[in-house]
Amino acid sequence: TSSLNATVTAAASIYVIQNDPTIGGSSLLQISTNGRGSVTPTTLVTMPMETSFDAVATDSVGNVYVSATVTTSPMTNEILVYSISSTGTAALTRTLTNMSSVATSMAVDSIGQIYALNGNSISVFAAGATGNAAPARLIFGTATLLNTATAITCDNTGNIYVANTLGGNVLVFDP
């Protein structure tokens, strides 16, 4: 199996996305940080072979955001938002479908804005955005210096931090 991305919450959970090339499909796994030794993950969501999970993020209230590529015709890139119950079940609460390309890394700020990174651009979606909502802000172009960026995070004041792989640096964008 191939794990691509993970995030840790304040509520002692690690969320991992897993794509399994041997059987196809993707899974969202939850692992408790309270365990020691070999800890068996809980499978929260399993998707069919036509769906590949690409990135995962969480917000301050425990929602889990998953970037997904659906390869059926026409191919789509989406952000799926799940609420996770205290008993470890996931419920899909909304889907963002206005993604021009796959989000390879994501972050969610303290007010719920979603930051979707795709290597050379960042799409910022308003808190609560759903369906075909347009990004509230796009960060792209040569002036940004984004060059095959691979990871994104944000702080409580709205600053955006991006690991810029080919640039060999960390870029900081103002709110």
Side-chain angles (χ1 to χ4, degrees), residues 10-32:
S13 287
I14 300 169
Y15 293 97
V16 178
I17 57 174
Q18 182 179 52
N19 292 310
D20 190 337
T22 61
I23 61 169
S26 297
S27 299
L28 172 64
L29 308 175
Q30 180 184 39
I31 303 167
S32 172

Side-chain angles (χ1 to χ4, degrees), residues 74-123:
M75 188 170 104
T76 59
N77 299 299
E78 302 173 340
I79 296 176
L80 310 172
V81 183
Y82 294 94
S83 69
I84 309 298
S85 73
S86 60
T87 60
T89 58
L92 182 64
T93 58
R94 59 190 162 110
T95 302
L96 276 163
T97 56
N98 191 10
M99 301 293 296
S100 59
S101 60
V102 63
T104 56
S105 183
M106 291 188 302
V108 182
D109 69 16
S110 60
I111 62 170
Q113 294 184 109
I114 305 167
Y115 300 83
L117 174 69
N118 80 348
N120 294 324
S121 69
I122 303 166
S123 298

Side-chain angles (χ1 to χ4, degrees), residues 117-120 144-151 162-171:
L117 174 69
N118 80 348
N120 294 324
T144 66
L145 302 178
L146 288 166
N147 191 355
T148 316
T150 56
V162 179
N164 198 31
T165 304
L166 291 182
N169 55 13
V170 174
L171 301 173

Side-chain angles (χ1 to χ4, degrees), residues 1-76:
T1 59
S2 171
S3 294
L4 299 176
N5 208 315
T7 188
V8 180
T9 68
S13 287
I14 300 169
Y15 293 97
V16 178
I17 57 174
Q18 182 179 52
N19 292 310
D20 190 337
T22 61
I23 61 169
S26 297
S27 299
L28 172 64
L29 308 175
Q30 180 184 39
I31 303 167
S32 172
T33 59
N34 295 327
R36 298 287 182 257
S38 180
V39 178
T40 302
T42 300
T43 301
L44 299 173
V45 177
T46 300
M47 298 300 272
M49 184 167 49
E50 299 83 21
T51 303
S52 171
F53 288 161
D54 303 293
V56 63
T58 56
D59 66 18
S60 60
V61 296
N63 293 312
V64 178
Y65 299 71
V66 179
S67 167
T69 301
V70 181
T71 59
T72 55
S73 183
M75 188 170 104
T76 59

